[in-house]
Structures are given as structure tokens and as C-alpha cells.
Amino acid sequence: MSLLKEVKSLIRKDMVLEWRSKYALNGILLYVVSTVFVCYQAFKSVDPAMWNALFWIIMLFASVNAINKSFVQENQGRQLYYYSIASAKAVILAKIIYNMLIMLLLSAIAFFVYSVIFRNPVGDPMLYLAAVILGSIGFACVFTMVSGISAKAGNNSTLMAILSFPIIIPLLLVLIKLSKNAMDGLERSVSYDEMMVLAAINIITVAISLLLFPYLWRD
């Protein structure tokens, strides 16, 4: 079976499992909506800088909750079955793509709910949407890679936090700068460097995952 067919089959499997259970995705959506509502009750109104910071804090913790289960739900027997029918690259690539789809859906709902509950002060909505898309993809790539590593170390959540911290901080800094430019309504040409950096981080993370995960998968 070719790599593309293996990836498609594994993504379809994850979608079917998620559709059957639904509790994981519903729990994450409840977390996002309730967090936004609690923030509104606490602050009522916020300035643009705090609006931007709160949104990315909510997205960061929502992405951790959404992606942490990627390998946790796979028991040893199922992983052995995957080992016999698919390559390691197909497994990690399928997980990354599936988590990208989950994060894009989650970020779209979070941004909509956040904009409805709080007044939306974004000066350039299209640029901010681009930042949300790149950020969602970046969170999916980073946390999927780290989740795969921590799963091979006994699903240690502490290890996941330690490994993801030095990677996610530069990503967050660039995201906040890009989204701040969108909040201020600056010319889009000013933000091209940040967009290129985010795209480069995402590509490098996927490449590193494809290189390292096969060695972990053998164990």
C-alpha cells in the first residue's frame, strides 16, 4: 500500500472513531465555550492587546487538550496492528493531518464564539484569520510530534509539557506579533516575514516528525 493510501486509511479510521465516541470533541468544544464565557464574566470588556492575548491563551490550552489524546487512546495492541499494516511515516503524517483538521475546526468555533461574546476589535479580519490558520496548523504539528514522543515514554504528560515548551514559545511570540499587526490594521506587507516564519516552523516540525518518529516507532 502506498504512503498516500495508508495516510487516507488512518485518517478515515480516526474520523470514524471520533464520530462514534464524540465525547472528546464535545468536551473540547465545551471547554472553549465555557472558558470564553468565564473570561467575559471576569473582565466584561478588554482592550485590544488583552483581547488578543486571551484568545491565544485559550487556543493554546484547547490545543493541548485536543491533541494530547492522539497517542494516549492507542493501546499497545492497536499500535502493534498499525505497525504491521502501515509505515511509521504514514502513522505520524495521518495524526498530524487529522489534528490539523481538528484544530482548524476548533479555532473557527473559538474565534466565532470569542468574537460574539467579546466585541471584535480586529482591524484586518483576513490577516487575523490567516494568523489563526497558521497558528492552528503550528499547534497541531508541534503537539502531535511531542505527543508521539511522550507516548513512547509511557504517556508522560510532564514530559510532553517539558518538550513542547521550547518549541511552542517561539511559535507563540511570532503568532502574537502577526495577530497584533492584524489588530492594528497595518499593511499586510509588514506581516509577510512573520507569515513566512510561521510557515517555515510548520514545515520544519513536520519534517523532523517524519525523520524522528520511525526510530521511536521501532521500539
mmCIF file of all heavy atoms in Angstrom, residues 11-41:
data_model
loop_
_atom_site.group_PDB
_atom_site.id
_atom_site.type_symbol
_atom_site.label_atom_id
_atom_site.label_comp_id
_atom_site.label_asym_id
_atom_site.label_seq_id
_atom_site.Cartn_x
_atom_site.Cartn_y
_atom_site.Cartn_z
ATOM 1 N N ILE A 11 -6.470 8.314 8.546
ATOM 2 C CA ILE A 11 -7.293 9.498 8.837
ATOM 3 C C ILE A 11 -8.763 9.115 8.900
ATOM 4 O O ILE A 11 -9.501 9.558 9.787
ATOM 5 C CB ILE A 11 -7.056 10.599 7.780
ATOM 6 C CG1 ILE A 11 -5.638 11.143 7.874
ATOM 7 C CG2 ILE A 11 -8.071 11.731 7.942
ATOM 8 C CD1 ILE A 11 -5.276 12.128 6.777
ATOM 9 N N ARG A 12 -9.183 8.270 7.962
ATOM 10 C CA ARG A 12 -10.580 7.813 7.964
ATOM 11 C C ARG A 12 -10.891 7.043 9.242
ATOM 12 O O ARG A 12 -11.965 7.187 9.831
ATOM 13 C CB ARG A 12 -10.840 6.938 6.737
ATOM 14 C CG ARG A 12 -12.329 6.616 6.513
ATOM 15 C CD ARG A 12 -12.538 5.727 5.310
ATOM 16 N NE ARG A 12 -12.006 6.333 4.108
ATOM 17 C CZ ARG A 12 -10.978 5.854 3.409
ATOM 18 N NH1 ARG A 12 -10.355 4.748 3.826
ATOM 19 N NH2 ARG A 12 -10.563 6.452 2.315
ATOM 20 N N LYS A 13 -9.932 6.241 9.691
ATOM 21 C CA LYS A 13 -10.128 5.487 10.940
ATOM 22 C C LYS A 13 -10.308 6.419 12.123
ATOM 23 O O LYS A 13 -11.213 6.236 12.953
ATOM 24 C CB LYS A 13 -8.916 4.572 11.148
ATOM 25 C CG LYS A 13 -8.934 3.727 12.409
ATOM 26 C CD LYS A 13 -8.270 4.406 13.611
ATOM 27 C CE LYS A 13 -6.846 4.778 13.325
ATOM 28 N NZ LYS A 13 -6.228 5.480 14.508
ATOM 29 N N ASP A 14 -9.473 7.469 12.216
ATOM 30 C CA ASP A 14 -9.579 8.430 13.322
ATOM 31 C C ASP A 14 -10.918 9.166 13.290
ATOM 32 O O ASP A 14 -11.525 9.416 14.342
ATOM 33 C CB ASP A 14 -8.433 9.438 13.257
ATOM 34 C CG ASP A 14 -7.118 8.864 13.769
ATOM 35 O OD1 ASP A 14 -7.182 7.934 14.594
ATOM 36 O OD2 ASP A 14 -6.055 9.336 13.350
ATOM 37 N N MET A 15 -11.372 9.498 12.088
ATOM 38 C CA MET A 15 -12.660 10.191 11.953
ATOM 39 C C MET A 15 -13.814 9.304 12.394
ATOM 40 O O MET A 15 -14.745 9.753 13.065
ATOM 41 C CB MET A 15 -12.861 10.650 10.507
ATOM 42 C CG MET A 15 -11.995 11.817 10.094
ATOM 43 S SD MET A 15 -12.316 12.345 8.396
ATOM 44 C CE MET A 15 -11.292 13.828 8.320
ATOM 45 N N VAL A 16 -13.755 8.040 12.022
ATOM 46 C CA VAL A 16 -14.819 7.105 12.400
ATOM 47 C C VAL A 16 -14.848 6.918 13.913
ATOM 48 O O VAL A 16 -15.917 6.934 14.540
ATOM 49 C CB VAL A 16 -14.624 5.744 11.695
ATOM 50 C CG1 VAL A 16 -15.568 4.690 12.269
ATOM 51 C CG2 VAL A 16 -14.862 5.887 10.196
ATOM 52 N N LEU A 17 -13.672 6.758 14.523
ATOM 53 C CA LEU A 17 -13.604 6.600 15.978
ATOM 54 C C LEU A 17 -14.115 7.844 16.702
ATOM 55 O O LEU A 17 -14.827 7.749 17.712
ATOM 56 C CB LEU A 17 -12.167 6.300 16.407
ATOM 57 C CG LEU A 17 -11.598 4.931 16.020
ATOM 58 C CD1 LEU A 17 -10.146 4.819 16.446
ATOM 59 C CD2 LEU A 17 -12.418 3.807 16.634
ATOM 60 N N GLU A 18 -13.755 9.018 16.178
ATOM 61 C CA GLU A 18 -14.213 10.266 16.792
ATOM 62 C C GLU A 18 -15.722 10.414 16.644
ATOM 63 O O GLU A 18 -16.411 10.864 17.562
ATOM 64 C CB GLU A 18 -13.507 11.461 16.130
ATOM 65 C CG GLU A 18 -13.757 12.789 16.807
ATOM 66 C CD GLU A 18 -13.182 12.843 18.203
ATOM 67 O OE1 GLU A 18 -12.004 12.500 18.380
ATOM 68 O OE2 GLU A 18 -13.942 13.216 19.123
ATOM 69 N N TRP A 19 -16.253 10.021 15.478
ATOM 70 C CA TRP A 19 -17.699 10.131 15.248
ATOM 71 C C TRP A 19 -18.476 9.184 16.153
ATOM 72 O O TRP A 19 -19.579 9.494 16.583
ATOM 73 C CB TRP A 19 -17.995 9.847 13.789
ATOM 74 C CG TRP A 19 -19.454 9.922 13.455
ATOM 75 C CD1 TRP A 19 -20.321 8.892 13.219
ATOM 76 C CD2 TRP A 19 -20.243 11.123 13.325
ATOM 77 N NE1 TRP A 19 -21.575 9.357 12.946
ATOM 78 C CE2 TRP A 19 -21.565 10.723 13.010
ATOM 79 C CE3 TRP A 19 -19.955 12.484 13.445
ATOM 80 C CZ2 TRP A 19 -22.587 11.642 12.818
ATOM 81 C CZ3 TRP A 19 -20.972 13.395 13.258
ATOM 82 C CH2 TRP A 19 -22.270 12.968 12.948
ATOM 83 N N ARG A 20 -17.894 8.017 16.427
ATOM 84 C CA ARG A 20 -18.574 7.054 17.285
ATOM 85 C C ARG A 20 -18.607 7.511 18.740
ATOM 86 O O ARG A 20 -19.620 7.343 19.431
ATOM 87 C CB ARG A 20 -17.878 5.693 17.191
ATOM 88 C CG ARG A 20 -18.143 4.951 15.896
ATOM 89 C CD ARG A 20 -17.373 3.643 15.864
ATOM 90 N NE ARG A 20 -17.607 2.909 14.620
ATOM 91 C CZ ARG A 20 -16.973 1.787 14.284
ATOM 92 N NH1 ARG A 20 -16.045 1.281 15.109
ATOM 93 N NH2 ARG A 20 -17.240 1.180 13.147
ATOM 94 N N SER A 21 -17.513 8.079 19.217
ATOM 95 C CA SER A 21 -17.458 8.465 20.625
ATOM 96 C C SER A 21 -18.021 9.868 20.854
ATOM 97 O O SER A 21 -18.891 10.064 21.694
ATOM 98 C CB SER A 21 -16.016 8.392 21.135
ATOM 99 O OG SER A 21 -15.194 9.294 20.429
ATOM 100 N N LYS A 22 -17.514 10.834 20.095
ATOM 101 C CA LYS A 22 -17.952 12.239 20.150
ATOM 102 C C LYS A 22 -17.622 12.934 21.472
ATOM 103 O O LYS A 22 -17.606 14.156 21.529
ATOM 104 C CB LYS A 22 -19.455 12.371 19.893
ATOM 105 C CG LYS A 22 -19.917 11.965 18.514
ATOM 106 C CD LYS A 22 -21.391 12.341 18.314
ATOM 107 C CE LYS A 22 -21.894 11.902 16.951
ATOM 108 N NZ LYS A 22 -22.006 10.458 16.843
ATOM 109 N N TYR A 23 -17.383 12.178 22.529
ATOM 110 C CA TYR A 23 -17.200 12.814 23.831
ATOM 111 C C TYR A 23 -15.944 13.677 23.871
ATOM 112 O O TYR A 23 -15.923 14.719 24.542
ATOM 113 C CB TYR A 23 -17.158 11.770 24.943
ATOM 114 C CG TYR A 23 -15.928 10.905 24.953
ATOM 115 C CD1 TYR A 23 -14.795 11.290 25.666
ATOM 116 C CD2 TYR A 23 -15.899 9.692 24.264
ATOM 117 C CE1 TYR A 23 -13.660 10.500 25.674
ATOM 118 C CE2 TYR A 23 -14.769 8.904 24.270
ATOM 119 C CZ TYR A 23 -13.656 9.306 24.975
ATOM 120 O OH TYR A 23 -12.540 8.529 24.966
ATOM 121 N N ALA A 24 -14.892 13.278 23.156
ATOM 122 C CA ALA A 24 -13.639 14.037 23.196
ATOM 123 C C ALA A 24 -13.815 15.416 22.564
ATOM 124 O O ALA A 24 -13.494 16.447 23.165
ATOM 125 C CB ALA A 24 -12.536 13.260 22.483
ATOM 126 N N LEU A 25 -14.355 15.435 21.342
ATOM 127 C CA LEU A 25 -14.548 16.705 20.639
ATOM 128 C C LEU A 25 -15.572 17.574 21.354
ATOM 129 O O LEU A 25 -15.386 18.787 21.496
ATOM 130 C CB LEU A 25 -14.980 16.435 19.196
ATOM 131 C CG LEU A 25 -15.105 17.663 18.282
ATOM 132 C CD1 LEU A 25 -13.787 18.412 18.211
ATOM 133 C CD2 LEU A 25 -15.559 17.251 16.884
ATOM 134 N N ASN A 26 -16.653 16.965 21.815
ATOM 135 C CA ASN A 26 -17.667 17.734 22.543
ATOM 136 C C ASN A 26 -17.103 18.328 23.826
ATOM 137 O O ASN A 26 -17.431 19.460 24.205
ATOM 138 C CB ASN A 26 -18.865 16.842 22.872
ATOM 139 C CG ASN A 26 -19.654 16.461 21.637
ATOM 140 O OD1 ASN A 26 -19.584 17.145 20.620
ATOM 141 N ND2 ASN A 26 -20.393 15.373 21.715
ATOM 142 N N GLY A 27 -16.251 17.558 24.506
ATOM 143 C CA GLY A 27 -15.625 18.064 25.722
ATOM 144 C C GLY A 27 -14.716 19.253 25.449
ATOM 145 O O GLY A 27 -14.690 20.223 26.221
ATOM 146 N N ILE A 28 -13.987 19.193 24.340
ATOM 147 C CA ILE A 28 -13.091 20.296 23.977
ATOM 148 C C ILE A 28 -13.899 21.539 23.616
ATOM 149 O O ILE A 28 -13.555 22.664 24.015
ATOM 150 C CB ILE A 28 -12.180 19.877 22.806
ATOM 151 C CG1 ILE A 28 -11.252 18.740 23.249
ATOM 152 C CG2 ILE A 28 -11.353 21.056 22.317
ATOM 153 C CD1 ILE A 28 -10.606 18.006 22.109
ATOM 154 N N LEU A 29 -14.981 21.357 22.865
ATOM 155 C CA LEU A 29 -15.831 22.490 22.497
ATOM 156 C C LEU A 29 -16.460 23.116 23.747
ATOM 157 O O LEU A 29 -16.544 24.350 23.859
ATOM 158 C CB LEU A 29 -16.921 22.035 21.529
ATOM 159 C CG LEU A 29 -16.444 21.577 20.142
ATOM 160 C CD1 LEU A 29 -17.621 21.096 19.311
ATOM 161 C CD2 LEU A 29 -15.717 22.706 19.422
ATOM 162 N N LEU A 30 -16.886 22.268 24.672
ATOM 163 C CA LEU A 30 -17.437 22.782 25.932
ATOM 164 C C LEU A 30 -16.379 23.568 26.697
ATOM 165 O O LEU A 30 -16.668 24.626 27.279
ATOM 166 C CB LEU A 30 -17.954 21.618 26.785
ATOM 167 C CG LEU A 30 -18.503 21.988 28.170
ATOM 168 C CD1 LEU A 30 -19.706 22.913 28.047
ATOM 169 C CD2 LEU A 30 -18.873 20.723 28.947
ATOM 170 N N TYR A 31 -15.144 23.076 26.683
ATOM 171 C CA TYR A 31 -14.041 23.769 27.354
ATOM 172 C C TYR A 31 -13.830 25.155 26.751
ATOM 173 O O TYR A 31 -13.680 26.146 27.476
ATOM 174 C CB TYR A 31 -12.762 22.930 27.234
ATOM 175 C CG TYR A 31 -11.508 23.663 27.642
ATOM 176 C CD1 TYR A 31 -11.140 23.761 28.977
ATOM 177 C CD2 TYR A 31 -10.693 24.273 26.683
ATOM 178 C CE1 TYR A 31 -9.990 24.447 29.350
ATOM 179 C CE2 TYR A 31 -9.550 24.961 27.053
ATOM 180 C CZ TYR A 31 -9.198 25.044 28.381
ATOM 181 O OH TYR A 31 -8.076 25.727 28.745
ATOM 182 N N VAL A 32 -13.825 25.246 25.424
ATOM 183 C CA VAL A 32 -13.592 26.524 24.750
ATOM 184 C C VAL A 32 -14.706 27.518 25.069
ATOM 185 O O VAL A 32 -14.452 28.660 25.477
ATOM 186 C CB VAL A 32 -13.479 26.320 23.222
ATOM 187 C CG1 VAL A 32 -13.487 27.664 22.497
ATOM 188 C CG2 VAL A 32 -12.216 25.551 22.881
ATOM 189 N N VAL A 33 -15.955 27.078 24.906
ATOM 190 C CA VAL A 33 -17.096 27.973 25.132
ATOM 191 C C VAL A 33 -17.148 28.425 26.593
ATOM 192 O O VAL A 33 -17.345 29.614 26.885
ATOM 193 C CB VAL A 33 -18.412 27.277 24.723
ATOM 194 C CG1 VAL A 33 -19.612 28.148 25.081
ATOM 195 C CG2 VAL A 33 -18.415 26.981 23.229
ATOM 196 N N SER A 34 -16.967 27.495 27.515
ATOM 197 C CA SER A 34 -17.036 27.840 28.944
ATOM 198 C C SER A 34 -15.885 28.753 29.345
ATOM 199 O O SER A 34 -16.070 29.670 30.166
ATOM 200 C CB SER A 34 -17.035 26.574 29.797
ATOM 201 O OG SER A 34 -15.863 25.811 29.573
ATOM 202 N N THR A 35 -14.694 28.538 28.786
ATOM 203 C CA THR A 35 -13.548 29.395 29.100
ATOM 204 C C THR A 35 -13.772 30.823 28.620
ATOM 205 O O THR A 35 -13.477 31.789 29.334
ATOM 206 C CB THR A 35 -12.257 28.832 28.479
ATOM 207 O OG1 THR A 35 -12.054 27.487 28.906
ATOM 208 C CG2 THR A 35 -11.054 29.671 28.874
ATOM 209 N N VAL A 36 -14.293 30.943 27.391
ATOM 210 C CA VAL A 36 -14.600 32.276 26.855
ATOM 211 C C VAL A 36 -15.647 32.969 27.731
ATOM 212 O O VAL A 36 -15.535 34.166 28.049
ATOM 213 C CB VAL A 36 -15.086 32.180 25.401
ATOM 214 C CG1 VAL A 36 -15.570 33.540 24.904
ATOM 215 C CG2 VAL A 36 -13.973 31.670 24.496
ATOM 216 N N PHE A 37 -16.665 32.229 28.146
ATOM 217 C CA PHE A 37 -17.726 32.811 28.973
ATOM 218 C C PHE A 37 -17.191 33.247 30.338
ATOM 219 O O PHE A 37 -17.547 34.318 30.846
ATOM 220 C CB PHE A 37 -18.861 31.803 29.152
ATOM 221 C CG PHE A 37 -20.015 32.331 29.945
ATOM 222 C CD1 PHE A 37 -20.896 33.243 29.387
ATOM 223 C CD2 PHE A 37 -20.221 31.921 31.254
ATOM 224 C CE1 PHE A 37 -21.962 33.744 30.131
ATOM 225 C CE2 PHE A 37 -21.277 32.405 31.999
ATOM 226 C CZ PHE A 37 -22.156 33.331 31.434
ATOM 227 N N VAL A 38 -16.316 32.427 30.928
ATOM 228 C CA VAL A 38 -15.721 32.775 32.220
ATOM 229 C C VAL A 38 -14.859 34.035 32.084
ATOM 230 O O VAL A 38 -14.882 34.926 32.961
ATOM 231 C CB VAL A 38 -14.893 31.599 32.773
ATOM 232 C CG1 VAL A 38 -14.045 32.035 33.962
ATOM 233 C CG2 VAL A 38 -15.799 30.454 33.178
ATOM 234 N N CYS A 39 -14.082 34.123 30.995
ATOM 235 C CA CYS A 39 -13.273 35.320 30.752
ATOM 236 C C CYS A 39 -14.151 36.557 30.622
ATOM 237 O O CYS A 39 -13.816 37.636 31.137
ATOM 238 C CB CYS A 39 -12.431 35.138 29.493
ATOM 239 S SG CYS A 39 -11.088 33.944 29.648
ATOM 240 N N TYR A 40 -15.292 36.390 29.956
ATOM 241 C CA TYR A 40 -16.211 37.522 29.801
ATOM 242 C C TYR A 40 -16.782 37.949 31.153
ATOM 243 O O TYR A 40 -16.875 39.139 31.454
ATOM 244 C CB TYR A 40 -17.343 37.151 28.848
ATOM 245 C CG TYR A 40 -18.401 38.231 28.737
ATOM 246 C CD1 TYR A 40 -18.148 39.403 28.022
ATOM 247 C CD2 TYR A 40 -19.640 38.088 29.362
ATOM 248 C CE1 TYR A 40 -19.104 40.403 27.925
ATOM 249 C CE2 TYR A 40 -20.598 39.081 29.274
ATOM 250 C CZ TYR A 40 -20.327 40.237 28.555
ATOM 251 O OH TYR A 40 -21.266 41.220 28.472
ATOM 252 N N GLN A 41 -17.154 36.971 31.963
ATOM 253 C CA GLN A 41 -17.687 37.298 33.284
ATOM 254 C C GLN A 41 -16.631 37.960 34.164
ATOM 255 O O GLN A 41 -16.959 38.797 35.012
ATOM 256 C CB GLN A 41 -18.206 36.025 33.972
ATOM 257 C CG GLN A 41 -19.444 35.432 33.332
ATOM 258 C CD GLN A 41 -20.632 36.367 33.388
ATOM 259 O OE1 GLN A 41 -20.870 37.023 34.394
ATOM 260 N NE2 GLN A 41 -21.383 36.446 32.301
#
